[in-house]
Amino acid sequence: MKDEQQIFGIRAIIEAIQSGTVIDKVFIQKEVQGDLMKELMKVMKQKSINYSYVPVEKLNRLTSNNHQGAVATISPIGFIEIETLIETVMENGRKPFFLILDQLSDARNFGAIIRTAECTGVDGIIIQKQGSAPVNGDTVKTSAGAVFNIPICKVDHIKDAIFHLQANGIKTVAATEKTEQNIYDISLNEPLAIIMGSEDRGINPSVLKIVDEKAKLPMFGTIGSLNVSVACGAFLYETVRQRQ
């Protein structure tokens, strides 16, 4: 990762956040304390900035500069509010088509999904502020630049986003193996949001409880699951097929 995509040093990160720089994630060295670190934590919580604690070796790999125990990655894109995203799509008269990623954590998977979403006409991608994959150089590269062409919305909680979509008449469909219903047996030709889960845990059980429908892909091999970006592509293209 290039240093121009980063801010290093606690004071510099605080000033960047306060000036409105779009920070994607802050990496904080374990065991680092002090008044300045307390101030950084306070500012990050106020602005709902995504952060995680990491060993010093991780920070040393991110930058060769004196990081003082904190490195922030700058997002190459801005993010849209969910209310604005929904209103914009509704006003354009299109049949809404959204994608929700429930704490997908791998930047390359994220980039591959963004690329497929852009190709299939998805109107916007909704992710959670905490625990989601970063929007970084790997994301941009694997998305083939598609990250600049599709709105991405960060929300505090996926469940709140689902309730918001449902209140606007948008059907929510969870991609999960925990159902008997096949993706090819449900209607996707209506205002729609498809929910994909994380690589290791899938969709959060509390999210599965509130969605309108659940669907799975038929599996015929001995391996029980697909890579999430591949599964997502299958769901998105089945939606395209039904809408043709």
Side-chain angles (χ1 to χ4, degrees), residues 36-154:
L36 207 53
M37 182 58 75
K38 289 178 183 176
E39 185 180 347
L40 173 59
M41 296 301 298
K42 180 180 177 182
V43 171
M44 288 194 301
K45 287 174 182 176
Q46 286 174 342
K47 300 290 186 180
S48 298
I49 302 292
N50 190 12
Y51 67 90
S52 64
Y53 292 101
V54 297
V56 66
E57 291 81 9
K58 166 80 171 179
L59 299 182
N60 293 340
R61 286 196 300 272
L62 287 173
T63 181
S64 58
N65 294 281
N66 180 16
H67 50 68
Q68 300 172 322
V71 176
T73 56
I74 304 171
S75 175
I77 63 168
F79 297 95
I80 187 171
E81 295 293 328
I82 190 168
E83 293 84 3
T84 305
L85 176 62
I86 294 171
E87 286 173 14
T88 301
V89 175
M90 295 287 199
E91 288 171 2
N92 287 338
R94 296 195 303 270
K95 192 179 295 178
F97 185 16
F98 298 112
L99 176 62
I100 300 174
L101 303 178
D102 184 14
Q103 295 189 299
L104 186 92
S105 59
D106 184 89
R108 291 182 179 86
N109 276 337
F110 190 22
I113 285 172
I114 292 170
R115 184 175 183 175
T116 306
E118 201 270 345
C119 289
T120 51
V122 168
D123 293 306
I125 298 174
I126 299 165
I127 62 175
Q128 190 163 283
K129 289 177 181 176
Q130 295 290 337
S132 294
V135 182
N136 59 20
D138 284 337
T139 314
V140 173
K141 186 175 180 180
T142 52
S143 78
V147 69
F148 301 114
N149 301 327
I150 187 167
I152 297 178
C153 171
K154 279 190 172 185

Side-chain angles (χ1 to χ4, degrees), residues 4 6 13 18 31-32 74 122 158 175 181 184 191 207 238:
E4 58 263 29
Q6 303 170 339
I13 295 171
Q18 291 176 332
E31 290 95 34
V32 170
I74 304 171
V122 168
I158 292 296
Q181 189 162 234
Y184 305 118
V207 171
E238 172 58 14

Side-chain angles (χ1 to χ4, degrees), residues 130-197:
Q130 295 290 337
S132 294
V135 182
N136 59 20
D138 284 337
T139 314
V140 173
K141 186 175 180 180
T142 52
S143 78
V147 69
F148 301 114
N149 301 327
I150 187 167
I152 297 178
C153 171
K154 279 190 172 185
V155 296
D156 290 324
H157 303 289
I158 292 296
K159 287 170 67 176
D160 291 340
I162 290 172
F163 287 135
H164 202 88
L165 291 163
Q166 290 170 331
N168 282 274
I170 296 165
K171 177 179 174 179
T172 56
V173 176
T176 175
E177 297 161 14
K178 298 173 183 177
T179 181
E180 295 304 313
Q181 189 162 234
N182 195 303
I183 180 65
Y184 305 118
D185 297 328
I186 68 171
S187 172
L188 304 173
N189 190 19
E190 52 194 287
L192 179 71
I194 290 174
I195 303 121
M196 304 298 301

